[in-house]
Amino acid sequence: MPNKYKLGVAGNPIEHSLSPFIHSRFAKQEKINLSYMPYRVEPDNFNEFIVDFFSDPLARGLNITLPLKNLAAQIAGNISKEAKHLQAVNTITKIDGALSLDSTDGVGFMEDLRSKKIDIIGKNILILGAGAAVQSILYKLVTGNPNTISILNRSQDKAETLVEKYVEYTSLGSCLKEDIHYDLIINGTSAGLTGEFIAPEGINLSNSTCFYDLNYSLESTPFCSWAKEHSSQVFDGIGMLIYQAAQSFKLWFGEAPSTEYIFQDIQNLNK
Ligand code: NDP
């Protein structure tokens, strides 16, 4: 039996993270002996935690979630171009004693779009929200040749800051364009997983519009429930979660795990 690799996810809150479940399934499938644990870590203790975690010779990697992703970008290590641009890291890998820092959220999101045959080239995209999750997918979206992207956020200044950051790549705006038909509407707000989704007024959409909620839940999210009134192409963020995890796993062990069964395994958690 080979040594048991040590992995985990650090953040706060962390209790409801599906990452331990997903990575344990990947490990079983790929026959890799590992322990993947959730760690509740406060920002003030983050650096100390990282040193302690990786001092174990069996430590191979760590996922980082809220509110630690920006702090993780400050760790000494080889940071990827994307993670550096985002100033956010969700995957740390220890290779030959050195740490590599990556962001796999954007790859996970794009992989999920591909798997659902959602094409963004030449399309008009509306994004609701301008927080960390939106930032992590925006880098990929703006470089994917869409026609336009509109970002709407409760705090207008945050949407404007994002537009300024990426305006060189594509046609970006921080208000709704009522004369444009939106092909893809992405919900990146954390407004809640219960209650009703209140859509901004004046969105030009049709039954050919695709809807994607970065949020996920074993039940339909409020955004997805609203979207289903307009279209049959409605998706939540479970696929993004799985594909970003698969990308982390690939960084740690060199090969992407099969994602064939994990969707059903997660659905079964609800039974
Ligand atoms: P942030 O806290 O960074 O951003 C939250 C965003 O939601 C902000 O734009 C905020 O607006 C907006 N918002 C919050 N409450 C409301 C409200 N009541 N009405 C309107 N807008 C609101 O969170 P993240 O960006 O990190 O996460 C957003 C969601 O994405 C989370 O629910 C998270 O679970 C999900 N996520 C999913 C992933 C996946 O793999 N599928 C990966 C990462 C995140 P304002 O700026 O005005 O505060």
Side-chain angles (χ1 to χ4, degrees):
M1 193 72 158
N3 286 332
K4 198 171 194 172
Y5 294 112
K6 178 179 165 185
L7 296 117
V9 55
N12 188 14
I14 203 67
E15 291 73 22
H16 301 293
S17 171
L18 282 173
S19 294
F21 178 81
I22 293 172
H23 283 289
S24 301
R25 284 288 187 281
F26 285 165
K28 200 172 164 194
Q29 258 171 227
E30 306 305 317
K31 300 189 172 40
I32 292 178
N33 190 17
L34 62 78
S35 143
Y36 185 109
M37 300 294 289
Y39 296 92
R40 187 170 166 187
V41 180
E42 300 290 346
D44 285 351
N45 304 329
F46 182 61
N47 289 338
E48 200 183 330
F49 169 77
I50 291 293
V51 171
D52 183 53
F53 184 90
F54 284 105
S55 66
D56 185 332
L58 295 176
R60 172 57 68 101
L62 199 59
N63 282 132
I64 305 294
T65 188
L66 288 178
L68 306 171
K69 289 183 181 182
N70 300 120
L71 277 179
Q74 310 305 320
I75 293 172
N78 303 313
I79 190 163
S80 71
K81 187 177 161 205
E82 183 170 344
K84 192 172 178 184
H85 185 86
L86 297 169
Q87 277 301 296
V89 161
N90 79 337
T91 306
I92 305 178
T93 312
K94 190 173 161 194
I95 303 170
D96 297 333
L99 299 185
S100 289
L101 314 172
D102 292 273
S103 173
T104 66
D105 283 334
V107 175
F109 175 70
M110 295 307 287
E111 191 59 32
D112 196 33
L113 289 193
R114 258 190 298 279
S115 78
K116 295 176 163 65
K117 301 193 173 20
I118 302 173
D119 189 9
I120 61 165
I121 298 173
K123 298 294 169 63
N124 298 314
I125 302 172
L126 172 64
I127 302 178
L128 307 175
V134 167
Q135 292 179 45
S136 70
I137 63 167
L138 199 53
Y139 183 82
K140 292 285 190 216
L141 284 174
V142 295
T143 50
N145 295 317
N147 184 35
T148 61
I149 300 180
S150 309
I151 304 172
L152 285 194
N153 193 44
R154 181 176 62 177
S155 313
Q156 173 76 7
D157 57 325
K158 276 204 212 165
E160 284 168 9
T161 303
L162 277 188
V163 166
E164 280 163 26
K165 191 170 173 186
Y166 289 103
V167 80
E168 67 188 90
Y169 292 96
T170 192
S171 166
L172 269 174
S174 58
C175 56
L176 199 63
K177 294 182 177 152
E178 295 192 10
D179 55 335
I180 278 185
H181 172 264
Y182 286 105
D183 303 296
L184 173 62
I185 301 179
I186 299 166
N187 178 36
T189 71
S190 56
L193 288 174
T194 54
E196 195 185 348
F197 173 78
I198 310 288
E201 276 181 31
I203 305 180
N204 186 347
L205 50 82
S206 72
N207 60 7
S208 69
T209 301
C210 276
F211 296 82
Y212 193 106
D213 196 349
L214 297 187
N215 294 284
Y216 50 85
S217 162
L218 295 176
E219 308 294 337
S220 182
T221 66
F223 174 82
C224 288
S225 298
W226 166 77
K228 283 172 192 164
E229 292 170 15
H230 303 281
S231 169
S232 57
Q233 299 180 78
V234 178
F235 308 99
D236 74 7
I238 199 70
M240 172 178 169
L241 180 78
I242 290 170
Y243 287 117
Q244 65 77 27
Q247 181 65 16
S248 295
F249 197 92
K250 185 178 175 189
L251 289 167
W252 296 328
F253 299 109
E255 277 192 46
S258 163
T259 50
E260 197 181 338
Y261 302 108
I262 191 78
F263 284 88
Q264 193 55 50
D265 285 347
I266 290 176
Q267 286 306 321
N268 289 344
L269 287 174
N270 205 18
K271 291 179 183 162

